Amino acid sequence: MDIRPARTPAELQAAEALFDGPARPEWSARFLDSPGHLMLIAYVDGEPAGMVSGVEMTHPDKGTEMCLYELSVDEAYRRRGIGRALTLALADEARARGCYGMWVGVDTDNEAALATYGAAGAHDEGVFTMRGWSLAP
């Protein structure tokens, strides 16, 4: 397995089976061009097997932390430690960028994600709830 950062929209399009939908070229370019955005892709025998995306978040009184935005492993490659390896690679990158911490929001019934994050050293910080706003017209 080889984990490396995505640098071009073409790399994201080649890995779009790992996403919830198609990787649009204009959105891919915007993601990659945005400071603090990071996409790591795991390759097995040259094929995209998994990805993790992270976004740095800075606040004036806290400093910078990394949000693990999304993790995905192709079904054919699951249960091989790829998700754990991607999570740890993102944590290493966050540390190298000077982040003081890393966090992820995860559904409480997502047992696979909870097991993956736990295997990568994450701990439960208590009750979490999320509220959202749909801003699309």
Side-chain angles (χ1 to χ4, degrees):
M1 175 179 41
D2 178 33
I3 297 175
R4 58 183 185 264
R7 306 240 186 256
T8 67
E11 289 174 278
L12 298 182
Q13 288 176 303
E16 75 180 6
L18 300 169
F19 304 141
D20 295 329
R24 292 186 178 183
E26 65 275 16
W27 293 350
S28 297
R30 182 175 176 184
F31 179 91
L32 295 170
D33 290 343
S34 295
H37 287 196
L38 178 64
M39 175 80 63
L40 302 175
I41 300 176
Y43 295 89
V44 174
D45 299 326
E47 295 296 318
M51 70 83 185
V52 65
S53 61
V55 178
E56 289 180 21
M57 301 171 64
T58 302
H59 199 270
D61 69 335
K62 294 175 182 63
T64 303
E65 63 185 338
M66 181 68 72
C67 167
L68 188 160
Y69 186 79
E70 192 164 334
L71 174 70
S72 174
V73 177
D74 186 275
E75 193 169 337
Y77 295 99
R78 292 183 184 162
R79 304 195 57 78
R80 298 185 192 185
I82 293 171
R84 178 180 180 272
L86 282 163
T87 301
L88 291 172
L90 182 63
D92 288 344
E93 182 62 30
R95 199 173 292 110
R97 292 174 176 222
C99 295
Y100 71 84
M102 186 169 89
W103 64 276
V104 63
V106 60
D107 293 330
T108 57
D109 63 348
N110 189 337
E111 294 178 17
L114 291 168
T116 296
Y117 300 139
H123 56 276
D124 186 352
E125 293 186 356
V127 179
F128 178 84
T129 184
M130 185 185 330
R131 302 289 188 260
W133 292 262
S134 178
L135 303 176

